[in-house]
Amino acid sequence: MKNWKTLAVAGAMTLTALAGCSSGSEGGAAADSGDSGKKGSVYYLNFKPEQNDAWQELAKKYTEETGVEVTVVTAASGDYENTLMSEMGKSSAPTLFQVNGPVGLKNWAEYAYDLKGTPVYDELTSDAYTLKDPEDPEKVDAIAYVIESYGIIVNEKLLKEAGYTTDDIKSFEDLKKVADDIQSRKDDLGFAAFTSAGMDGSSDWRFKTHLANLPIYFEYQDKNETDTDAIEGTYLDNYREIFDLYIKDSTVDGKDLAAKTGDDSLNEFKQGDAVFYQNGSWSYGDVVNEETGLTDDDVTMIPIYIGAGDEATQGLCTGTENYWVVNKDASEEDIQATLDFMYWCVTSEEGTTAMADEMGFVIPFKDAKPSPNVFVQEDVKLTENGATPVAWCFTTMPSEEWKNGVGEALTAYAADPTDEKWEAVESAFVDGWKTEYELANK
């Protein structure tokens, strides 16, 4: 396998040259490699549609500064794995792509270039933000490039109009009381409690993955586990209660949710049609801007309470499912160009500013710029005040097929919220987990 030392010699690249890329010199981060005079290029397959514009602009800046071509292709929401499979089969495959955690890595470890000892790896603040190779624990297959939080985004202006503040919501019981009351007065108030829990492919991940994280997390906490081959579903009643709140105290009827999109939900929040909107820190730029008229003082994020654990000390759901992998089968020049681009993104003023200000990222690298994102700041504040962030356990979900099974069952339940339909959700969750885990580990 190619390694960093080999590439460093072949590419004749130095940290001095890397540092010079911000000056706009042609001899910067992606200078011509070795004696061949060839210059590599970068093809980044981006996982996050909401950051597409920011990545396109950052890629353009890098190319202008260095002359190195950077192509960013963004997969459609919910279709990343299929897109990656298709693109990796092409002669011009991505040189940089993403996996969502150890489960996702299993499918792509054989393509992973060893990042240990590379300049971008050395910029990490902790080795905890890496994924080691399933077969070789000395090899670093992937590195996290962003730490994010999600919860329930709140329009505090509307909440105040309804007669409440976030101080009134410190538990699931509180949330239900406030949401039910707002929903009962929605015609007079002019807004509902929750935006639509859209269950089409652009939105269902919020519920089959992010919301489903909560019952998994609390079960893992009870058992002191970080993974399992058979989930028991101890907290599925709690999962049902919070999902009931989403579909009943909503802008639309549950039977209409199958066709509702992520954009529908976002637009409802932007237009002031609802107080609450489940999403993450990545939505900051979509929510706070001139178009919406919302400012940092108008919005905040609260934990997703489901009536489990110590709600008095529960924080936001904080972690990552965004790990960079460099394609080891790319040419040496393209691997070098890709490593240089990654390093520039997390060390240069242009890169760190874009990731903090435009993308709203907290990045786990030494030169990270503090994010102005109020949702990120809320996570920091909660943690400093003694709250425990809810870990991202959904990276241990056994497969995409498992998520899809849960999503389909949730969609059917939303249209007809009966005990019978919920039993199908439980079966998809528990029985589906066991089946998919066994298939994945044959």
Side-chain angles (χ1 to χ4, degrees):
M1 180 187 296
K2 308 180 189 82
N3 58 45
W4 165 248
K5 291 181 180 179
T6 301
L7 281 176
V9 173
M13 306 302 294
T14 67
L15 290 178
T16 303
L18 289 168
C21 71
S22 63
S23 69
S25 167
E26 286 296 317
D32 290 351
S33 298
D35 297 329
S36 67
K38 293 181 179 178
K39 182 181 292 186
S41 61
V42 181
Y43 171 10
Y44 176 31
L45 185 61
N46 172 40
F47 172 77
K48 300 174 74 60
E50 62 273 15
Q51 265 79 45
N52 176 63
D53 291 347
W55 276 117
Q56 298 294 347
E57 183 62 27
L58 193 59
K60 180 181 177 182
K61 286 181 180 178
Y62 186 75
T63 298
E64 289 173 350
E65 287 194 7
T66 66
V68 174
E69 181 182 356
V70 178
T71 300
V72 178
V73 173
T74 299
S77 181
D79 199 42
Y80 188 82
E81 194 74 5
N82 289 334
T83 303
L84 179 57
M85 287 181 183
S86 173
E87 292 299 294
M88 289 298 279
K90 298 178 180 179
S91 58
S92 56
T95 64
L96 180 63
F97 61 94
Q98 294 176 226
V99 294
N100 67 352
V103 173
L105 178 62
K106 289 179 182 177
N107 294 329
W108 299 103
E110 65 181 289
Y111 293 89
Y113 175 79
D114 187 1
L115 294 168
K116 191 170 185 178
T118 61
V120 68
Y121 168 88
D122 290 339
E123 289 299 314
L124 283 169
T125 56
S126 171
D127 193 54
Y129 299 122
T130 66
L131 293 178
K132 304 298 174 60
D133 189 89
E135 303 297 329
D136 180 4
E138 294 301 312
K139 178 172 176 276
V140 175
D141 283 352
I143 56 175
Y145 70 89
V146 56
I147 306 300
E148 297 174 302
S149 297
Y150 69 90
I152 297 174
I153 299 174
V154 182
N155 184 324
E156 293 191 278
K157 290 173 67 176
L158 296 186
L159 185 63
K160 186 176 180 180
E161 285 184 37
Y164 299 100
T165 71
T166 53
D167 289 336
D168 296 310
I169 308 173
K170 300 298 181 183
S171 66
F172 174 76
E173 184 179 349
D174 292 342
L175 178 62
K176 178 172 170 49
K177 176 184 175 182
V178 172
D180 284 349
D181 180 53
I182 290 173
Q183 194 69 16
S184 71
R185 296 187 287 132
K186 66 182 179 64
D187 291 339
D188 292 332
L189 290 169
F191 50 82
F194 286 92
T195 61
S196 56
M199 296 304 294
D200 101 314
S202 66
S203 177
D204 64 347
W205 54 268
R206 295 189 291 145
F207 313 107
K208 69 183 185 184
T209 303
H210 283 188
L211 188 63
N213 181 74
L214 277 297
I216 297 169
Y217 168 79
F218 286 112
E219 184 170 325
Y220 281 0
Q221 288 290 104
D222 287 350
K223 298 177 180 178
N224 196 29
E225 293 179 340
T226 57
D227 197 359
T228 186
D229 58 355
I231 202 81
E232 292 182 14
T234 309
Y235 292 95
L236 290 185
D237 286 346
N238 305 80
Y239 185 41
R240 181 180 185 176
E241 286 199 77
I242 185 65
F243 194 63
D244 277 348
L245 212 56
Y246 286 2
I247 64 176
K248 293 176 181 177
D249 290 354
S250 171
T251 53
V252 300
D253 191 272
K255 68 181 186 318
D256 297 324
L257 291 176
K260 283 294 179 179
T261 68
D263 284 343
D264 289 331
S265 187
L266 173 61
N267 288 334
E268 289 162 11
F269 190 79
K270 288 163 63 173
Q271 294 162 8
D273 295 334
V275 179
F276 304 117
Y277 168 47
Q278 185 196 300
N279 219 321
S281 52
W282 52 87
S283 296
Y284 172 69
D286 292 326
V287 169
V288 178
N289 55 54
E290 291 183 4
E291 177 194 352
T292 65
L294 294 171
T295 70
D296 289 349
D297 294 330
D298 298 326
V299 296
T300 190
M301 186 183 288
I302 62 173
I304 302 174
Y305 298 115
I306 67 169
D310 181 6
E311 294 183 307
T313 61
Q314 182 180 329
L316 303 178
C317 299
T318 299
T320 188
E321 62 167 347
N322 296 283
Y323 291 87
W324 274 333
V325 181
V326 174
N327 183 0
K328 74 174 181 63
D329 293 335
S331 70
E332 289 191 356
E333 292 84 5
D334 287 352
I335 291 175
Q336 185 66 69
T338 301
L339 292 170
D340 294 341
F341 175 65
M342 295 162 68
Y343 182 87
W344 179 84
C345 285
V346 303
T347 60
S348 71
E349 182 177 353
E350 297 97 327
T352 56
T353 297
M355 296 181 87
D357 295 352
E358 302 301 322
M359 303 181 199
F361 289 169
V362 172
I363 61 174
F365 298 95
K366 296 170 186 176
D367 290 327
K369 180 178 178 181
S371 173
N373 188 318
V374 293
F375 305 138
V376 168
Q377 293 171 8
E378 185 63 22
D379 174 63
V380 172
K381 184 175 76 173
L382 285 169
T383 303
E384 288 177 346
N385 289 338
T388 301
V390 172
W392 283 21
C393 301
F394 59 79
T395 59
T396 68
M397 290 172 177
S399 69
E400 284 298 313
E401 188 59 33
W402 179 87
K403 296 177 190 178
N404 292 337
V406 172
E408 289 167 6
L410 284 174
T411 304
Y413 175 78
D416 181 22
T418 62
D419 290 345
E420 181 182 1
K421 293 295 187 188
W422 187 255
E423 287 173 5
V425 175
E426 293 178 330
S427 177
F429 211 104
V430 176
D431 300 333
W433 186 292
K434 185 174 185 296
T435 299
E436 289 300 311
Y437 191 93
E438 289 174 350
L439 287 172
N441 289 276
K442 276 188 174 181

